Coordinates of all heavy atoms in Angstrom, one line a residue:
M3 N 25.2 15.9 7.1 CA 25.2 14.5 6.9 C 24.2 14.0 8.0 O 24.3 14.3 9.1 CB 26.5 13.9 7.0 CG 26.5 12.4 6.9 SD 28.2 11.6 7.0 CE 28.7 11.8 5.3
K4 N 23.4 13.1 7.6 CA 22.4 12.4 8.5 C 22.9 11.0 8.9 O 23.1 10.2 8.0 CB 21.0 12.3 7.9 CG 20.4 13.7 7.6 CD 19.0 13.5 6.9 CE 18.4 14.8 6.6 NZ 17.1 14.7 6.0
V5 N 23.0 10.8 10.2 CA 23.4 9.5 10.7 C 22.3 9.0 11.7 O 21.8 9.8 12.5 CB 24.7 9.6 11.4 CG1 25.2 8.3 12.1 CG2 25.8 10.1 10.5
V6 N 22.0 7.7 11.6 CA 21.1 7.1 12.5 C 21.9 6.1 13.4 O 22.7 5.3 12.9 CB 19.9 6.4 11.8 CG1 19.0 5.6 12.8 CG2 19.1 7.4 11.0
V7 N 21.7 6.2 14.7 CA 22.3 5.2 15.6 C 21.2 4.3 16.1 O 20.2 4.8 16.7 CB 23.0 5.9 16.8 CG1 23.5 4.9 17.8 CG2 24.1 6.9 16.3
L8 N 21.3 3.0 15.8 CA 20.3 2.0 16.3 C 20.9 1.3 17.5 O 21.9 0.7 17.3 CB 20.0 1.1 15.2 CG 19.0 1.5 14.1 CD1 18.8 0.3 13.1 CD2 17.7 2.0 14.6
G9 N 20.2 1.3 18.6 CA 20.6 0.6 19.8 C 21.4 1.5 20.7 O 21.8 2.6 20.3
G10 N 21.5 1.0 21.9 CA 22.2 1.8 22.9 C 21.3 2.0 24.1 O 20.1 1.7 24.1
H11 N 21.9 2.5 25.2 CA 21.2 2.7 26.4 C 20.7 4.2 26.4 O 21.2 5.0 25.8 CB 22.2 2.5 27.6 CG 22.7 1.1 27.7 ND1 22.0 0.0 28.0 CD2 24.0 0.7 27.4 CE1 22.7 -1.0 28.0 NE2 23.9 -0.7 27.6
D12 N 19.6 4.4 27.2 CA 19.0 5.7 27.2 C 20.0 6.8 27.7 O 20.0 7.9 27.3 CB 17.8 5.7 28.2 CG 16.6 5.0 27.7 OD1 16.5 4.9 26.4 OD2 15.8 4.5 28.5
R13 N 20.9 6.3 28.6 CA 21.9 7.3 29.1 C 22.9 7.8 28.1 O 23.6 8.8 28.3 CB 22.7 6.7 30.3 CG 23.5 5.5 29.9 CD 24.2 4.9 31.2 NE 25.0 3.7 30.9 CZ 24.5 2.5 31.0 NH1 23.3 2.3 31.5 NH2 25.3 1.5 30.7
M14 N 22.9 7.2 26.9 CA 23.8 7.6 25.8 C 23.3 8.8 25.1 O 24.1 9.4 24.3 CB 24.0 6.4 24.8 CG 24.9 5.3 25.3 SD 25.0 3.9 24.1 CE 25.8 4.7 22.8
K15 N 22.0 9.1 25.2 CA 21.4 10.1 24.4 C 22.1 11.5 24.5 O 22.3 12.1 23.5 CB 19.9 10.3 24.8 CG 19.2 11.2 23.9 CD 17.7 11.1 24.0 CE 17.1 12.1 23.0 NZ 16.0 11.5 22.2
S16 N 22.5 11.9 25.7 CA 23.1 13.2 25.9 C 24.5 13.2 25.2 O 24.9 14.2 24.6 CB 23.2 13.6 27.3 OG 24.0 12.6 28.0
K17 N 25.2 12.1 25.3 CA 26.5 11.9 24.7 C 26.4 12.0 23.1 O 27.2 12.5 22.4 CB 27.3 10.7 25.1 CG 27.6 10.7 26.6 CD 28.7 11.7 26.8 CE 29.2 11.6 28.3 NZ 30.2 12.6 28.6
V18 N 25.4 11.4 22.6 CA 25.1 11.4 21.2 C 24.9 12.8 20.7 O 25.4 13.2 19.6 CB 23.9 10.4 20.8 CG1 23.5 10.6 19.4 CG2 24.3 9.0 21.1
E19 N 24.1 13.5 21.5 CA 23.9 15.0 21.1 C 25.2 15.8 21.2 O 25.4 16.6 20.3 CB 22.9 15.6 22.1 CG 21.5 15.0 21.9 CD 20.5 15.4 23.0 OE1 20.9 16.1 23.9 OE2 19.3 15.0 22.8
E20 N 26.1 15.5 22.1 CA 27.4 16.2 22.1 C 28.2 15.8 20.9 O 28.8 16.7 20.3 CB 28.1 15.7 23.4 CG 27.6 16.3 24.7 CD 28.4 15.8 25.9 OE1 29.5 15.4 25.8 OE2 27.8 15.9 27.0
L21 N 28.2 14.6 20.5 CA 29.0 14.2 19.3 C 28.4 14.8 18.1 O 29.1 15.1 17.2 CB 29.0 12.6 19.2 CG 29.8 11.9 20.2 CD1 29.7 10.4 20.0 CD2 31.3 12.3 20.1
S22 N 27.1 14.9 18.1 CA 26.4 15.5 16.9 C 26.9 17.0 16.7 O 27.2 17.4 15.6 CB 24.9 15.5 17.2 OG 24.2 16.2 16.1
K23 N 27.0 17.7 17.8 CA 27.5 19.1 17.8 C 29.0 19.1 17.4 O 29.4 20.0 16.7 CB 27.2 19.8 19.1 CG 25.7 20.1 19.4 CD 25.5 20.7 20.7 CE 24.0 20.8 21.0 NZ 23.8 21.3 22.4
K24 N 29.7 18.3 18.0 CA 31.2 18.2 17.9 C 31.5 18.0 16.4 O 32.5 18.7 15.9 CB 31.8 17.1 18.7 CG 33.3 17.0 18.6 CD 33.8 16.0 19.6 CE 35.3 15.8 19.4 NZ 35.8 14.8 20.4
Y25 N 30.8 17.1 15.7 CA 31.2 16.7 14.4 C 30.3 17.4 13.3 O 30.5 17.2 12.1 CB 31.2 15.2 14.2 CG 32.4 14.6 14.9 CD1 32.1 14.0 16.1 CD2 33.6 14.6 14.4 CE1 33.2 13.4 16.9 CE2 34.7 14.0 15.1 CZ 34.4 13.4 16.4 OH 35.5 12.8 17.0
G26 N 29.3 18.2 13.7 CA 28.5 18.9 12.8 C 27.5 17.9 12.0 O 27.3 18.2 10.8
L27 N 27.1 16.9 12.7 CA 26.2 15.9 12.1 C 24.8 16.0 12.6 O 24.6 16.5 13.7 CB 26.7 14.5 12.3 CG 28.1 14.2 11.8 CD1 28.6 12.8 12.3 CD2 28.2 14.2 10.3
S28 N 23.9 15.5 11.8 CA 22.5 15.3 12.3 C 22.4 13.8 12.7 O 22.3 13.0 11.8 CB 21.5 15.7 11.2 OG 20.2 15.3 11.6
I29 N 22.3 13.6 14.0 CA 22.3 12.2 14.5 C 21.0 11.9 15.1 O 20.6 12.6 16.1 CB 23.5 11.9 15.5 CG1 24.8 12.1 14.8 CG2 23.4 10.5 16.0 CD1 26.0 12.0 15.8
K30 N 20.3 10.9 14.6 CA 19.0 10.4 15.3 C 19.4 9.2 16.0 O 19.9 8.2 15.5 CB 18.0 10.1 14.2 CG 16.7 9.7 14.8 CD 15.6 9.8 13.7 CE 14.3 9.4 14.3 NZ 13.5 10.5 14.8
F31 N 19.0 9.2 17.3 CA 19.3 8.0 18.2 C 18.0 7.3 18.4 O 17.0 7.8 19.0 CB 19.8 8.6 19.6 CG 20.1 7.6 20.6 CD1 21.1 6.7 20.4 CD2 19.4 7.5 21.8 CE1 21.4 5.7 21.4 CE2 19.7 6.6 22.7 CZ 20.7 5.7 22.5
I32 N 18.0 6.0 18.0 CA 16.9 5.1 18.1 C 17.3 3.9 18.9 O 18.1 3.1 18.4 CB 16.3 4.7 16.8 CG1 15.9 5.9 16.0 CG2 15.1 3.8 16.9 CD1 15.5 5.7 14.5
N33 N 16.7 3.7 20.1 CA 17.1 2.5 20.9 C 15.9 1.6 21.2 O 16.1 0.7 21.9 CB 17.8 3.0 22.1 CG 16.9 3.8 23.1 OD1 15.9 4.2 22.7 ND2 17.4 3.9 24.3
Q34 N 14.7 1.9 20.7 CA 13.6 1.1 20.9 C 12.8 0.9 19.6 O 12.7 1.9 18.8 CB 12.7 1.7 22.0 CG 13.3 1.8 23.3 CD 12.3 2.5 24.3 OE1 11.3 2.9 23.9 NE2 12.8 2.7 25.5
E35 N 12.4 -0.3 19.4 CA 11.6 -0.6 18.2 C 10.3 0.1 18.1 O 9.8 0.3 17.0 CB 11.5 -2.1 18.1 CG 11.0 -2.6 16.7 CD 11.0 -4.1 16.6 OE1 11.6 -4.8 17.5 OE2 10.5 -4.6 15.6
T36 N 9.8 0.6 19.2 CA 8.5 1.2 19.3 C 8.5 2.7 18.8 O 7.5 3.3 18.7 CB 7.9 1.1 20.7 OG1 8.8 1.7 21.6 CG2 7.6 -0.3 21.1
Q37 N 9.7 3.2 18.7 CA 9.8 4.6 18.2 C 9.3 4.7 16.8 O 9.5 3.9 16.0 CB 11.2 5.2 18.3 CG 11.7 5.3 19.8 CD 13.1 5.9 19.8 OE1 13.9 5.4 19.1 NE2 13.3 6.8 20.7
Q38 N 8.6 5.8 16.6 CA 8.0 6.0 15.3 C 9.0 6.5 14.2 O 10.0 7.0 14.5 CB 6.8 7.1 15.4 CG 5.7 6.6 16.3 CD 4.6 7.6 16.3 OE1 4.7 8.6 15.7 NE2 3.6 7.3 17.1
N39 N 8.6 6.3 12.9 CA 9.3 6.7 11.8 C 10.7 6.1 11.7 O 11.6 6.7 11.1 CB 9.4 8.2 11.8 CG 8.1 8.9 11.7 OD1 7.2 8.4 11.1 ND2 8.0 10.1 12.3
I40 N 10.9 4.9 12.2 CA 12.2 4.2 12.0 C 12.5 4.0 10.5 O 13.6 4.3 10.0 CB 12.2 2.9 12.8 CG1 12.1 3.1 14.3 CG2 13.5 2.1 12.4 CD1 12.0 1.8 15.1
D41 N 11.5 3.5 9.8 CA 11.6 3.3 8.4 C 12.1 4.6 7.6 O 13.0 4.5 6.8 CB 10.3 2.8 7.7 CG 9.8 1.6 8.4 OD1 10.5 0.9 9.2 OD2 8.6 1.2 8.1
Q42 N 11.4 5.7 7.9 CA 11.8 6.9 7.2 C 13.2 7.4 7.6 O 13.9 7.8 6.8 CB 10.7 8.0 7.6 CG 10.9 9.2 6.9 CD 9.9 10.3 7.2 OE1 9.1 10.1 8.1 NE2 9.8 11.3 6.4
A43 N 13.5 7.3 8.9 CA 14.8 7.7 9.3 C 15.9 6.9 8.7 O 16.9 7.4 8.2 CB 14.9 7.6 10.8
L44 N 15.7 5.6 8.6 CA 16.7 4.7 7.9 C 16.8 5.0 6.4 O 17.9 4.9 5.8 CB 16.3 3.2 8.2 CG 16.5 2.8 9.6 CD1 15.9 1.4 9.8 CD2 17.9 2.8 10.1
T45 N 15.7 5.2 5.8 CA 15.7 5.5 4.3 C 16.5 6.7 4.0 O 17.2 6.7 3.0 CB 14.2 5.6 3.8 OG1 13.5 4.4 4.1 CG2 14.2 5.9 2.3
Y46 N 16.4 7.8 4.8 CA 17.0 9.0 4.4 C 18.3 9.3 5.1 O 19.0 10.3 4.9 CB 16.0 10.2 4.7 CG 14.8 10.2 3.9 CD1 13.6 9.8 4.4 CD2 14.9 10.5 2.5 CE1 12.5 9.8 3.6 CE2 13.8 10.4 1.7 CZ 12.6 10.1 2.2 OH 11.5 10.1 1.4
A47 N 18.8 8.3 5.8 CA 20.1 8.4 6.5 C 21.2 8.2 5.5 O 21.1 7.4 4.6 CB 20.2 7.4 7.6
D48 N 22.3 9.0 5.7 CA 23.5 8.8 4.9 C 24.3 7.6 5.3 O 24.9 6.9 4.6 CB 24.4 10.0 4.9 CG 23.7 11.2 4.3 OD1 23.2 11.1 3.1 OD2 23.7 12.3 4.9
C49 N 24.2 7.3 6.6 CA 24.8 6.2 7.2 C 24.1 5.7 8.5 O 23.5 6.6 9.2 CB 26.3 6.6 7.6 SG 27.3 5.1 8.0
V50 N 24.1 4.4 8.8 CA 23.4 3.9 10.0 C 24.4 3.1 10.8 O 25.1 2.2 10.2 CB 22.3 3.0 9.6 CG1 21.6 2.3 10.8 CG2 21.2 3.7 8.7
I51 N 24.6 3.4 12.0 CA 25.5 2.7 13.0 C 24.6 1.8 13.8 O 23.6 2.3 14.5 CB 26.3 3.7 13.8 CG1 27.1 4.6 12.9 CG2 27.1 3.0 14.8 CD1 27.8 5.8 13.7
V52 N 24.9 0.6 13.8 CA 24.0 -0.4 14.5 C 24.8 -1.1 15.6 O 25.8 -1.7 15.4 CB 23.5 -1.5 13.5 CG1 22.6 -2.5 14.2 CG2 22.8 -0.9 12.3
F53 N 24.4 -0.9 16.9 CA 25.0 -1.6 18.0 C 24.2 -3.0 18.1 O 23.1 -3.1 18.7 CB 24.8 -0.8 19.3 CG 25.7 0.4 19.4 CD1 25.1 1.6 19.5 CD2 27.0 0.2 19.4 CE1 26.0 2.8 19.6 CE2 27.9 1.3 19.4 CZ 27.3 2.6 19.5
T54 N 24.8 -4.0 17.6 CA 24.2 -5.3 17.4 C 23.8 -6.0 18.7 O 22.8 -6.7 18.8 CB 25.0 -6.3 16.6 OG1 26.3 -6.4 17.2 CG2 25.2 -5.8 15.2
K55 N 24.5 -5.8 19.8 CA 24.2 -6.4 21.0 C 23.1 -5.8 21.8 O 22.6 -6.3 22.8 CB 25.4 -6.5 21.9 CG 26.5 -7.5 21.3 CD 27.7 -7.7 22.3 CE 28.6 -8.6 21.6 NZ 29.8 -8.9 22.5
L56 N 22.7 -4.6 21.4 CA 21.7 -3.8 22.1 C 20.4 -3.6 21.4 O 19.5 -2.8 21.9 CB 22.3 -2.4 22.5 CG 23.6 -2.5 23.3 CD1 24.1 -1.1 23.5 CD2 23.2 -3.1 24.7
I57 N 20.1 -4.3 20.3 CA 18.8 -4.2 19.7 C 18.4 -5.6 19.3 O 19.2 -6.5 19.2 CB 18.9 -3.3 18.4 CG1 19.8 -3.8 17.4 CG2 19.2 -1.9 18.8 CD1 19.8 -3.0 16.1
G58 N 17.1 -5.7 18.9 CA 16.5 -7.0 18.5 C 16.8 -7.2 17.0 O 17.2 -6.4 16.3
H59 N 16.5 -8.5 16.6 CA 16.7 -8.9 15.3 C 15.9 -8.1 14.3 O 16.3 -7.9 13.2 CB 16.4 -10.4 15.2 CG 17.4 -11.3 15.9 ND1 18.7 -11.5 15.4 CD2 17.3 -12.0 17.0 CE1 19.3 -12.3 16.3 NE2 18.5 -12.6 17.3
N60 N 14.7 -7.8 14.7 CA 13.8 -7.0 13.8 C 14.4 -5.7 13.4 O 14.3 -5.3 12.2 CB 12.4 -6.8 14.4 CG 11.7 -8.0 14.5 OD1 11.9 -9.0 13.8 ND2 10.7 -8.1 15.5
M61 N 15.1 -5.0 14.3 CA 15.7 -3.7 14.0 C 16.9 -3.9 13.1 O 17.1 -3.0 12.2 CB 16.0 -2.9 15.3 CG 14.8 -2.4 16.0 SD 15.2 -1.5 17.5 CE 15.9 0.0 16.8
V62 N 17.6 -5.0 13.3 CA 18.8 -5.2 12.4 C 18.2 -5.5 11.0 O 18.8 -5.0 10.0 CB 19.6 -6.4 12.9 CG1 20.7 -6.8 11.9 CG2 20.2 -6.1 14.3
K63 N 17.2 -6.3 10.9 CA 16.6 -6.5 9.6 C 16.1 -5.2 8.9 O 16.3 -5.1 7.7 CB 15.4 -7.5 9.7 CG 15.8 -8.9 10.0 CD 14.6 -9.8 10.2 CE 15.0 -11.2 10.6 NZ 13.8 -12.1 10.8
L64 N 15.5 -4.4 9.7 CA 15.1 -3.1 9.1 C 16.2 -2.3 8.6 O 16.2 -1.6 7.5 CB 14.3 -2.2 10.2 CG 12.9 -2.7 10.5 CD1 12.3 -1.8 11.7 CD2 12.0 -2.4 9.3
A65 N 17.3 -2.2 9.4 CA 18.5 -1.5 9.0 C 19.1 -2.1 7.7 O 19.4 -1.3 6.7 CB 19.6 -1.6 10.0
K66 N 19.1 -3.4 7.5 CA 19.6 -4.0 6.3 C 18.7 -3.7 5.1 O 19.1 -3.5 4.0 CB 19.8 -5.5 6.5 CG 21.0 -5.9 7.4 CD 21.1 -7.4 7.5 CE 22.2 -7.8 8.3 NZ 22.3 -9.2 8.5
K67 N 17.4 -3.7 5.4 CA 16.4 -3.5 4.4 C 16.4 -2.1 3.8 O 16.5 -1.9 2.6 CB 15.0 -3.8 4.9 CG 13.9 -3.6 3.9 CD 12.5 -3.9 4.5 CE 11.4 -3.5 3.6 NZ 10.1 -3.8 4.2
Y68 N 16.4 -1.1 4.7 CA 16.3 0.3 4.3 C 17.7 0.9 4.0 O 17.8 1.8 3.2 CB 15.6 1.1 5.3 CG 14.1 0.8 5.3 CD1 13.6 0.0 6.3 CD2 13.3 1.2 4.3 CE1 12.2 -0.3 6.3 CE2 11.9 0.9 4.3 CZ 11.4 0.1 5.3 OH 10.0 -0.2 5.3
A69 N 18.7 0.5 4.7 CA 20.0 1.2 4.6 C 21.0 0.4 3.8 O 21.9 0.9 3.2 CB 20.6 1.6 5.9
G70 N 20.9 -0.9 3.8 CA 21.8 -1.8 3.0 C 23.3 -1.6 3.3 O 23.7 -1.8 4.4
D71 N 24.0 -1.1 2.3 CA 25.4 -1.0 2.4 C 25.8 0.3 3.1 O 27.0 0.5 3.3 CB 26.1 -1.1 1.0 CG 25.6 0.1 0.1 OD1 24.6 0.7 0.4 OD2 26.3 0.3 -0.9
R72 N 24.9 1.0 3.6 CA 25.2 2.2 4.4 C 25.2 1.9 5.9 O 25.3 2.8 6.7 CB 24.2 3.3 4.1 CG 24.2 3.8 2.7 CD 23.1 4.8 2.3 NE 21.8 4.1 2.3 CZ 20.7 4.5 2.8 NH1 20.6 5.6 3.4 NH2 19.6 3.8 2.7
C73 N 25.2 0.7 6.2 CA 25.2 0.3 7.7 C 26.7 -0.1 8.2 O 27.5 -0.6 7.4 CB 24.4 -1.0 7.9 SG 22.6 -0.8 7.7
I74 N 26.9 0.4 9.4 CA 28.1 0.0 10.1 C 27.6 -0.8 11.3 O 26.9 -0.3 12.1 CB 28.9 1.2 10.6 CG1 29.4 2.0 9.4 CG2 30.1 0.8 11.4 CD1 30.1 3.3 9.8
F75 N 28.1 -2.0 11.4 CA 27.7 -2.9 12.6 C 28.8 -2.9 13.6 O 29.9 -3.3 13.4 CB 27.4 -4.3 12.1 CG 26.2 -4.4 11.1 CD1 26.4 -4.4 9.8 CD2 24.9 -4.4 11.7 CE1 25.3 -4.4 8.9 CE2 23.9 -4.4 10.8 CZ 24.0 -4.4 9.4
C76 N 28.5 -2.4 14.8 CA 29.4 -2.4 16.0 C 29.0 -3.5 16.9 O 27.8 -3.5 17.4 CB 29.3 -1.0 16.7 SG 29.8 0.3 15.7
H77 N 29.9 -4.4 17.2 CA 29.6 -5.5 18.1 C 29.8 -5.2 19.5 O 29.4 -6.0 20.4 CB 30.3 -6.8 17.6 CG 30.0 -7.1 16.2 ND1 28.8 -7.6 15.8 CD2 30.8 -7.1 15.0 CE1 28.8 -7.8 14.5 NE2 30.0 -7.4 14.0
S78 N 30.5 -4.2 19.7 CA 30.7 -3.7 21.2 C 30.1 -2.3 21.2 O 30.1 -1.6 20.2 CB 32.1 -3.7 21.6 OG 32.9 -2.9 20.7
H79 N 29.5 -2.0 22.4 CA 28.8 -0.7 22.4 C 29.5 0.3 23.3 O 30.4 -0.1 24.1 CB 27.4 -1.0 23.0 CG 27.3 -1.6 24.3 ND1 27.6 -3.0 24.5 CD2 27.2 -1.1 25.5 CE1 27.5 -3.2 25.8 NE2 27.2 -2.1 26.4
G80 N 29.1 1.5 23.2 CA 29.7 2.6 24.0 C 30.0 3.8 23.2 O 30.0 3.8 22.0
I81 N 30.2 4.9 23.9 CA 30.4 6.2 23.2 C 31.8 6.2 22.4 O 31.9 6.7 21.3 CB 30.4 7.3 24.2 CG1 29.0 7.5 24.8 CG2 30.9 8.6 23.6 CD1 28.0 7.8 23.8
C82 N 32.8 5.5 23.0 CA 34.1 5.4 22.3 C 33.9 4.8 20.9 O 34.5 5.2 19.9 CB 35.1 4.7 23.1 SG 35.6 5.6 24.6
N83 N 33.2 3.7 20.9 CA 33.0 3.0 19.6 C 32.1 3.8 18.7 O 32.3 3.8 17.4 CB 32.4 1.6 19.8 CG 33.5 0.6 20.4 OD1 34.6 0.6 19.9 ND2 33.1 -0.2 21.3
L84 N 31.2 4.5 19.2 CA 30.4 5.3 18.4 C 31.2 6.4 17.7 O 31.1 6.7 16.6 CB 29.2 5.9 19.2 CG 28.3 6.9 18.5 CD1 27.7 6.3 17.3 CD2 27.3 7.5 19.4
E85 N 32.1 7.0 18.5 CA 32.9 8.1 18.0 C 33.9 7.6 17.0 O 34.1 8.2 15.9 CB 33.7 8.8 19.1 CG 34.3 10.1 18.7 CD 34.8 11.0 19.8 OE1 34.7 10.6 21.0 OE2 35.2 12.1 19.5
K86 N 34.4 6.4 17.2 CA 35.3 5.8 16.1 C 34.6 5.5 14.8 O 35.1 5.8 13.7 CB 35.8 4.4 16.6 CG 36.9 4.5 17.7 CD 37.4 3.1 18.1 CE 38.3 3.2 19.3 NZ 38.6 1.9 19.8
S87 N 33.3 5.1 14.9 CA 32.5 4.9 13.7 C 32.2 6.2 13.0 O 32.3 6.3 11.8 CB 31.2 4.2 14.1 OG 31.4 2.9 14.6
I88 N 31.9 7.2 13.8 CA 31.7 8.6 13.2 C 32.9 9.0 12.5 O 32.9 9.6 11.4 CB 31.2 9.6 14.3 CG1 29.8 9.2 14.7 CG2 31.3 11.0 13.8 CD1 29.3 10.0 15.9
R89 N 34.1 8.9 13.1 CA 35.3 9.3 12.4 C 35.6 8.5 11.1 O 36.0 9.1 10.1 CB 36.5 9.1 13.3 CG 36.6 10.1 14.4 CD 37.9 10.0 15.2 NE 37.8 10.6 16.5 CZ 38.3 10.1 17.6 NH1 39.0 9.0 17.5 NH2 38.2 10.7 18.7
K90 N 35.3 7.2 11.1 CA 35.4 6.4 9.9 C 34.5 7.0 8.8 O 34.9 7.1 7.6 CB 35.0 5.0 10.1 CG 36.1 4.2 10.8 CD 35.6 2.7 11.0 CE 36.6 1.9 11.8 NZ 36.1 0.5 12.0
I91 N 33.3 7.4 9.2 CA 32.3 7.9 8.2 C 32.9 9.2 7.6 O 32.9 9.4 6.4 CB 31.0 8.2 8.9 CG1 30.3 6.9 9.2 CG2 30.0 9.0 7.9 CD1 29.1 7.0 10.2
L92 N 33.4 10.1 8.5 CA 33.8 11.4 8.0 C 35.1 11.3 7.2 O 35.4 12.1 6.3 CB 34.1 12.3 9.2 CG 32.8 12.7 9.9 CD1 33.1 13.5 11.2 CD2 31.9 13.5 9.1
E93 N 35.9 10.3 7.5 CA 37.2 10.0 6.7 C 36.9 9.3 5.4 O 37.8 9.2 4.5 CB 38.2 9.2 7.5 CG 38.7 9.9 8.7 CD 39.5 9.0 9.7 OE1 39.6 7.8 9.4 OE2 40.0 9.6 10.7
G94 N 35.7 8.8 5.2 CA 35.3 8.1 4.0 C 35.7 6.7 4.0 O 35.9 6.1 2.9
N95 N 36.0 6.1 5.1 CA 36.5 4.7 5.2 C 35.4 3.7 5.3 O 35.6 2.6 5.8 CB 37.5 4.6 6.4 CG 38.8 5.3 6.2 OD1 39.2 5.6 5.1 ND2 39.4 5.7 7.3
V96 N 34.2 4.1 5.0 CA 33.1 3.2 5.2 C 32.6 2.7 3.8 O 32.6 3.5 2.8 CB 31.9 3.9 5.9 CG1 30.7 2.9 6.0 CG2 32.4 4.3 7.2

């Protein structure tokens, strides 16, 4: 399963990689609008987790445009909330 995480601090990258291995997911971590292939990553993702307080409006619009109903919006940020969102995805509660 492919998951894209939009937003977050640079220091979260290693934790995201750990969660990827722990749950057997392919997680792409995008925290800057300047990163390439955002459109492609969002289009092919099974689910997109958006940290709304840590990204700009343009990235939220891109997430809605390309992923639509496959988006989970987290209004608080951190690894704990990311892991909760991943569990929801795996349980099918999204």
Side-chain angles (χ1 to χ4, degrees):
M3 178 178 276
K4 294 180 183 179
V5 177
V6 173
V7 176
L8 283 182
H11 300 288
D12 289 333
R13 64 181 178 264
M14 289 177 64
K15 187 167 180 129
S16 63
K17 294 292 186 180
V18 170
E19 290 170 359
E20 287 177 22
L21 290 175
S22 176
K23 289 177 187 175
K24 180 178 178 179
Y25 290 102
L27 300 171
S28 172
I29 301 177
K30 183 166 179 94
F31 179 66
I32 301 172
N33 65 345
Q34 296 177 359
E35 194 170 348
T36 58
Q37 288 180 318
Q38 295 182 4
N39 298 328
I40 294 175
D41 302 348
Q42 185 179 12
L44 293 173
T45 301
Y46 294 109
D48 295 313
C49 193
V50 178
I51 300 171
V52 181
F53 288 118
T54 56
K55 292 184 179 183
L56 298 174
I57 62 171
H59 293 286
N60 290 336
M61 287 180 71
V62 173
K63 288 178 186 177
L64 283 174
K66 287 180 180 179
K67 177 181 176 182
Y68 289 103
D71 60 346
R72 295 175 286 138
C73 291
I74 297 174
F75 294 97
C76 295
H77 302 294
S78 56
H79 59 280
I81 293 299
C82 291
N83 286 318
L84 176 59
E85 191 165 6
K86 285 179 189 176
S87 298
I88 289 172
R89 284 191 203 138
K90 284 182 185 178
I91 293 167
L92 294 174
E93 293 170 358
N95 294 334
V96 179

